[in-house]
Amino acid sequence: MAADSHRSSAPERSGILSLSLALLCLLAPVFLHAKGTPARAEQAPVSLTNDEAQAMVKRVLHVELEAAQDGYSAHPMQYRLRKVSPRLSTTKLIIETKDGDVARLIAVNDAPLSAEAQQIEADRLQGLVNDPSLQRHRQEREQGDTARARKVMRGLPDAFLYAYAGIVETPVGPSYRMTFLPNPNFSPQDLEEQVLKGMAGELWIDVAQQRVTRLQGKRIRDVDYGWGLIGKLDEGGTLLLEQADAGNHQWRTVRMVLVMNARFLLKTIKLDTTLELSQFAPVAAGMKYQQAVEMLQKPSTEAVPASSAR
């Protein structure tokens, strides 16, 4: 039954970035599909002034935006995505293609699908092949999500006041730790940028590769949209986004945790979701979605080799 409820779902990124979730974390897909940049040695400073911290954040976020311009077209990957909520967990295999992502559900509540549920997934994937418009519509949704995410990313340098808070050691090396508070002079240009109002937190930047490794934010006050008529984001919502080098300087989101209470028009939204991305492996550039479907029809052990886990 649980598997059947997921058979018509789009790849998780598109579902996660539906309007309800996009109210808080539209920037996720930009990080998800950021291409790599060569590592270079950086000498960590003893300290940074606020102006220097602001300039560094602006420079690094510009790199993230530039990296996202090519999306996954140059360095597509396949990976495993586990989504956890209080009532349900799902695991999917996802393959990036020039026609958008293609996903296959492989587990519910960490248990493999029954033979019947596997057949439902196989039929759904075959339906994508039989009706290309289904995949085309999914790709259009992904592109729309990413376009909105880039608007949010462009607002990040100006939406907050950043301060250098030292160096933090991570499993892959040191990162600059920046704290941020709302910039009282920030004036959102559109609905997407309004999501940045009323947040405070930390931004970590990898010293060696100058890429964002962690974004942690908390909503410190309620934020109304359209004087509260369109919607409202409640104080206390949190977002955690972690990014890492998935291999050969290809940076990907590896974990995201979102807790949020919001209202959009007449609908109340309560989210408590964790995404865990792992087992990244490269696939051929220019792959068509039909080829990805063929790969996903194979046993799961063939779709994403265990040796590629990161």
Side-chain angles (χ1 to χ4, degrees), residues 123-173:
D123 292 344
R124 182 186 63 81
L125 287 169
Q126 188 58 46
L128 293 179
V129 175
N130 296 340
D131 186 355
S133 68
L134 295 175
Q135 184 64 23
R136 185 169 60 253
H137 292 156
R138 292 181 180 208
Q139 185 181 28
E140 290 171 354
R141 288 195 297 270
E142 291 175 14
Q143 291 170 341
D145 290 339
T146 301
R148 292 192 296 272
R150 287 172 181 161
K151 289 184 179 181
V152 177
M153 285 284 288
R154 292 189 182 99
L156 280 172
D158 298 323
F160 305 111
L161 300 177
Y162 296 88
Y164 179 68
I167 297 291
V168 60
E169 292 295 334
T170 75
V172 295

Side-chain angles (χ1 to χ4, degrees), residues 7-286:
R7 66 179 179 178
S8 62
S9 64
E12 288 298 330
R13 190 182 66 261
S14 296
I16 290 300
L17 288 170
S18 62
L19 183 56
S20 62
L21 184 53
L23 288 172
L24 189 57
C25 59
L26 277 166
L27 64 162
V30 172
F31 287 129
L32 277 168
H33 289 149
K35 69 180 181 180
T37 52
R40 69 174 188 272
E42 290 283 343
Q43 183 66 40
V46 175
S47 184
L48 292 173
T49 67
N50 289 345
D51 286 345
E52 290 170 334
Q54 201 82 21
M56 176 180 287
V57 170
K58 185 174 184 178
R59 183 177 67 249
V60 169
L61 291 176
H62 177 74
V63 169
E64 295 290 353
L65 275 170
E66 287 293 311
Q69 293 303 314
D70 289 342
Y72 48 70
S73 59
H75 302 280
M77 287 191 175
Q78 56 184 0
Y79 57 92
R80 187 170 298 226
L81 173 61
R82 183 171 179 262
K83 177 184 176 183
V84 182
S85 66
R87 69 176 185 85
L88 182 72
S89 72
T90 60
T91 303
K92 292 187 176 184
L93 297 180
I94 297 181
I95 299 178
E96 299 166 350
T97 80
K98 71 181 187 67
D99 305 313
D101 295 356
V102 182
R104 176 165 186 161
L105 181 69
I106 60 170
V108 174
N109 293 331
D110 298 321
L113 299 187
S114 65
E116 179 183 3
Q118 289 185 47
Q119 186 59 52
I120 290 172
E121 276 296 286
D123 292 344
R124 182 186 63 81
L125 287 169
Q126 188 58 46
L128 293 179
V129 175
N130 296 340
D131 186 355
S133 68
L134 295 175
Q135 184 64 23
R136 185 169 60 253
H137 292 156
R138 292 181 180 208
Q139 185 181 28
E140 290 171 354
R141 288 195 297 270
E142 291 175 14
Q143 291 170 341
D145 290 339
T146 301
R148 292 192 296 272
R150 287 172 181 161
K151 289 184 179 181
V152 177
M153 285 284 288
R154 292 189 182 99
L156 280 172
D158 298 323
F160 305 111
L161 300 177
Y162 296 88
Y164 179 68
I167 297 291
V168 60
E169 292 295 334
T170 75
V172 295
S175 285
Y176 301 108
R177 176 172 168 255
M178 307 290 187
T179 60
F180 62 84
L181 292 170
N183 180 354
N185 297 321
F186 176 63
S187 178
Q189 299 301 305
D190 47 39
L191 184 64
E192 285 82 7
E193 286 192 352
Q194 287 189 39
V195 75
L196 299 174
K197 295 176 63 177
M199 292 190 70
E202 296 186 1
L203 182 73
W204 295 7
I205 298 171
D206 181 73
V207 172
Q209 297 197 51
Q210 297 286 284
R211 297 296 295 267
V212 173
T213 57
R214 181 184 178 99
L215 173 65
Q216 185 170 6
K218 181 176 183 179
R219 192 158 298 285
I220 59 176
R221 65 173 184 268
D222 293 348
V223 174
D224 291 332
Y225 291 83
W227 296 280
L229 299 176
I230 297 177
K232 184 182 79 168
L233 296 176
D234 292 344
E235 176 184 352
T238 60
L239 167 68
L240 172 66
L241 184 70
E242 295 178 344
Q243 187 180 229
D245 186 342
N248 196 29
H249 309 308
Q250 304 307 309
W251 283 74
R252 299 301 177 101
T253 297
V254 294
R255 187 166 180 257
M256 187 171 76
V257 182
L258 175 67
V259 179
M260 179 183 73
N261 290 330
R263 179 177 58 80
F264 179 69
L265 297 178
L266 300 178
K267 185 175 183 180
T268 299
I269 302 163
K270 293 187 177 182
L271 290 172
D272 184 355
T273 302
T274 298
L275 301 182
E276 299 167 347
L277 297 88
S278 62
Q279 298 189 25
F280 292 93
V283 296

